[in-house]
Amino acid sequence: MKAMVLNNFNEKLRLEDIKEKEVKPGYVKLKVKACGVCHTDLKIAGGILPVCKEIQFPHILGHEVSGRVVETAADVTDFKVSDRVVAMFYAGCGDCPACERGEYSLCDNLEYWAGFREWGGYAEKLVLPARALVKLPNTVSYEEGAIVPDAVATAYKAIKRKAMVDKGDSVLIVGAGGVGLHGLQIAKFLGAKVIIVDKDQGHLDKALELGADYALQPDADEIKAAVKEMSPAGKLDSVIDIVGLQESFDYAIDNLKKGGKYIIVGYKPGSRVTFEPLNILLEEISILGSRNCSKQDVEDCLHLMAIAHIHPVIEDVVPLEKVNDVHEDMEKGKIMGRVVLKIPEKT
Ligand SMILES: [Zn+2]
Ligand SMILES: [Zn+2]
């Protein structure tokens, strides 16, 4: 099969012919139809994530995959050839309490980790455990479906299940990239008032188009003023932080109500945040991490997309061979939503 192959960290990907993996028990083979390109791909290609120690070259990136089933192992009964599917990039052991809840991202014994530890979707084919798959509704395209298990469902879990955002809540989303712009739509769908913060004016304009009540530069005074205007108590119910820096932590905590929730969804590798425990305890602030999503979250988001409550923010669809250019644009911060690689049936 053709694939854009990573042969070493910090090298450009190369278009190569590479031998497909065999389908083993419990596994299926997909014809990859679309694969989202994510900032995390840059971190993996740069060798800076802990998982990079486990990568064996040649490696294939790409963890936002949709495709059509072309082969199944004899013991796979949930999926058949020609099914349209999206793949979760974490496939757990299938045998622990987290896996029983479909929370594969919390499994300690991952069987497959597409595009991170094992091969991903920058390729014509992908072989992975059937339990990682979710059926794609007919009204959602492969390109739209591909971005759900990461850019959409990650935001959904953080907002719906961690922050428990409800009608009338005041919510601050820090970061208006792929996750933030989908999170904004989810928070609005749940009936919240939303301030979204980003350094890039283009991202902020897009956020206003998608229904943000306030779209602001990361300026502590402006944020405080907006919070005061937006909520009767002058405080936020929750903050979804997709940036994870000291600056965002500080204005988040400063504006949260008593009992408010601060949800960490994004990070910068190696960054640290300090705080005064007294403030957290006096205000009974909850600080919660939220990692990726469950299988049910993916199904819920696909449903919301199918009935047009979430509009996928896809900036461009480009051929697989162009992925190096996409990575470059991403590094320069030129990309707003997701760029999706389209992998034609015959290349
Ligand atoms: Zn990602
Ligand atoms: Zn498990």
Side-chain angles (χ1 to χ4, degrees):
M1 65 170 179
K2 293 232 167 26
M4 288 300 285
V5 175
L6 179 70
N7 285 298
N8 211 335
F9 295 125
N10 296 306
E11 279 184 10
K12 292 262 177 243
L13 307 185
R14 281 214 314 255
L15 183 66
E16 289 179 17
D17 251 312
I18 192 163
K19 195 170 177 297
E20 290 168 26
K21 303 269 188 196
E22 309 260 306
V23 170
K24 50 185 182 179
Y27 279 58
V28 299
K29 184 181 281 185
L30 304 184
K31 166 74 191 76
V32 178
K33 300 289 280 187
C35 183
V37 183
C38 175
H39 269 279
T40 308
D41 295 338
L42 302 179
K43 294 172 188 157
I44 301 169
I48 59 172
L49 296 186
V51 65
C52 292
K53 289 191 202 79
E54 298 178 65
I55 289 176
Q56 291 175 356
F57 295 108
H59 185 55
I60 301 175
L61 299 168
H63 56 268
E64 304 185 4
V65 180
S66 68
R68 190 166 49 77
V69 176
V70 291
E71 189 185 338
T72 63
D75 62 341
V76 171
T77 53
D78 298 350
F79 295 93
K80 58 180 192 321
V81 169
S82 91
D83 278 349
R84 302 169 83 245
V85 294
V86 299
M88 300 184 61
F89 47 92
Y90 295 107
C93 68
D95 205 26
C96 70
C99 284
E100 266 161 37
R101 302 190 306 269
E103 301 262 14
Y104 297 150
S105 58
L106 303 178
C107 174
D108 284 328
N109 194 15
L110 286 181
E111 180 172 344
Y112 199 92
W113 195 357
F116 285 76
R117 194 181 64 193
E118 278 83 25
W119 284 6
Y122 288 11
E124 288 179 301
K125 304 271 175 61
L126 177 60
V127 175
L128 78 177
R131 84 168 65 93
L133 302 179
V134 178
K135 288 202 176 114
L136 177 62
N138 282 329
T139 50
V140 179
S141 73
Y142 284 113
E143 291 79 17
E144 292 167 340
I147 68 169
V148 168
D150 196 8
V152 183
T154 298
Y156 180 84
K157 172 178 167 180
I159 290 168
K160 176 95 199 289
R161 292 202 289 120
K162 293 285 176 166
M164 294 191 280
V165 168
D166 211 350
K167 207 169 183 331
D169 275 8
S170 296
V171 178
L172 170 66
I173 297 177
V174 185
V179 176
L181 291 173
H182 292 103
L184 159 66
Q185 298 179 62
I186 291 158
K188 290 305 295 178
F189 170 71
L190 294 170
K193 287 168 281 178
V194 181
I195 302 174
I196 192 161
V197 168
D198 201 284
K199 283 187 171 140
D200 185 290
Q201 193 54 45
H203 290 221
L204 295 177
D205 293 343
K206 184 73 190 173
L208 287 171
E209 211 179 285
L210 291 168
D213 296 276
Y214 294 86
L216 305 174
Q217 296 284 330
D219 177 281
D221 294 337
E222 272 189 48
I223 294 166
K224 195 171 217 41
V227 174
K228 285 220 148 63
E229 258 176 53
M230 192 169 74
S231 85
K235 291 280 181 181
L236 297 164
D237 294 280
S238 54
V239 176
I240 312 298
D241 190 351
I242 309 164
V243 174
L245 296 173
Q246 183 74 53
E247 177 194 10
S248 52
F249 184 87
D250 287 343
Y251 58 67
I253 297 299
D254 191 34
N255 287 294
L256 270 171
K257 71 172 189 186
K258 286 199 170 92
K261 295 198 178 84
Y262 173 76
I263 317 295
I264 302 175
V265 185
Y267 64 98
K268 215 173 152 71
S271 74
R272 303 187 83 82
V273 169
T274 58
F275 60 87
E276 218 177 309
L278 181 65
N279 294 337
I280 305 297
L281 85 88
L282 289 179
E283 305 276 307
E284 291 206 345
I285 304 289
S286 298
I287 300 175
L288 302 169
S290 189
R291 179 177 182 174
N292 191 227
C293 60
S294 72
K295 209 165 179 173
Q296 185 64 51
D297 296 328
V298 173
E299 284 169 6
D300 289 355
C301 289
L302 285 169
H303 176 69
L304 288 176
M305 209 177 253
I307 58 174
H309 283 305
I310 299 176
H311 302 281
V313 185
I314 295 176
E315 180 149 324
D316 204 1
V317 177
V318 304
L320 175 64
E321 300 80 43
K322 296 277 182 214
V323 67
N324 285 316
D325 300 340
V326 179
H327 282 188
E328 266 178 39
D329 284 349
M330 242 176 188
E331 259 163 27
K332 291 179 194 148
K334 279 198 208 161
I335 291 170
M336 179 144 39
R338 273 297 194 262
V339 170
V340 177
L341 305 172
K342 189 167 185 155
I343 294 114
E345 203 71 19
K346 291 257 176 289
T347 37

